[in-house]
Amino acid sequence: MSSSATVRTARRRRTLRIAAAALTAAAGLTLTACSGSDATGVKPADRTDTEAAAESSGAGSSTGAQGSDAQAGPGAKADTKADSKAGAAAKQSGSGGAANGAEAGSGVQRCHTSGLKASFATGGDAVPDPNAGGSTTTSIVLTNKGSSTCKIGGFPGVDLKSENGGERWSLARSSKKFSSITLKPGDSTDFTINLALTKEEKGFYQPAFAVVTPPNETTALTLKWPWGTLVDQRSATHPATFVNPIG
């Protein structure tokens, strides 16, 4: 190869090396630019954290409060208003109901002794069986003799009295449940007394009167006892003669 050709080849190789070096430098610059872009991309994240911290301490708390108000505040206010209205309506309704109840209570009072008439039921099956061996009953009827409707319910007090009044027997009460009954003028209700009748000449009790006190009253109605003698169980814990509730 001639010396001129060798020189040209060397120049060409050097040119290639320079071009390669230029390309390498350009690539480095490109990578540096990309790296700078990534750094720039990190900065917004850093700014976001900073802004988040700022928001949590300043404007951010205001925004959060607004968000809280948006979720709970207005709704809660609206609900509170609605609840207030509903509560007021309920109070009005409740007070109205209480007033109505009071009016109903004042309009329909309990039955007082003065407005009642008592009598033994004596017709048909109402007559106690003297041979029943302690499992018979008698009924006392209570009639509203007044001019207004009244309510009655519960256990009446029943005392049996001897002829001279010296021997008194306050009858025990059963465990039966009861409810109130409304009696219009002229209406009647009754209650039963379980009886332990006896024909024995010993250990008996002969009532002469039945003294009936209506529930929640202190004045009594006295009835003549129409039946026979009873087994004397005045001191018994569970006597066979006892009172049942009205109705």
Side-chain angles (χ1 to χ4, degrees), residues 21-233:
L23 290 175
T24 301
L29 292 174
T30 303
L31 290 176
T32 302
C34 292
S35 176
S37 175
D38 291 343
T40 304
V42 172
K43 288 180 180 178
D46 293 340
R47 286 198 300 272
T48 301
D49 294 340
T50 304
E51 291 171 357
E55 289 174 354
S56 63
S57 61
S61 62
S62 176
T63 305
Q66 292 176 0
S68 175
D69 288 342
Q71 293 176 359
K77 292 176 182 176
D79 292 341
T80 301
K81 292 179 180 178
D83 292 343
S84 299
K85 292 180 180 179
K91 289 180 181 178
Q92 292 176 357
S93 176
S95 61
N100 292 337
E103 292 174 1
S106 61
V108 183
Q109 300 180 356
R110 76 167 187 268
C111 298
H112 297 288
T113 303
S114 58
L116 294 172
K117 179 178 70 175
S119 61
F120 277 97
T122 57
D125 296 337
V127 177
D129 182 3
N131 300 315
S135 59
T136 189
T137 61
T138 184
S139 296
I140 294 181
V141 180
L142 297 175
T143 303
N144 181 5
K145 67 176 185 178
S147 58
S148 60
T149 301
C150 64
K151 286 186 177 181
I152 190 169
F155 286 87
V158 177
D159 290 352
L160 301 179
K161 292 171 53 177
S162 61
E163 187 64 39
N164 59 8
E167 297 181 353
R168 193 181 188 96
W169 184 358
S170 295
L171 299 186
R173 298 174 178 179
S174 71
S175 59
K176 291 184 178 180
K177 296 181 179 181
F178 59 87
S179 59
S180 296
I181 297 173
T182 300
L183 297 179
K184 294 180 179 180
D187 287 351
S188 298
T189 185
D190 67 351
F191 64 93
T192 61
I193 303 175
N194 280 57
L195 301 176
L197 294 175
T198 183
K199 294 180 179 181
E200 299 293 331
E201 296 181 359
K202 293 181 179 181
F204 68 87
Y205 178 85
Q206 178 59 60
F209 304 98
V211 181
V212 179
T213 306
N216 302 310
E217 292 291 300
T218 56
T219 307
L221 300 168
T222 300
L223 302 175
K224 187 172 181 61
W225 182 258
W227 319 123
T229 57
L230 301 171
V231 177
D232 189 356
Q233 295 181 319

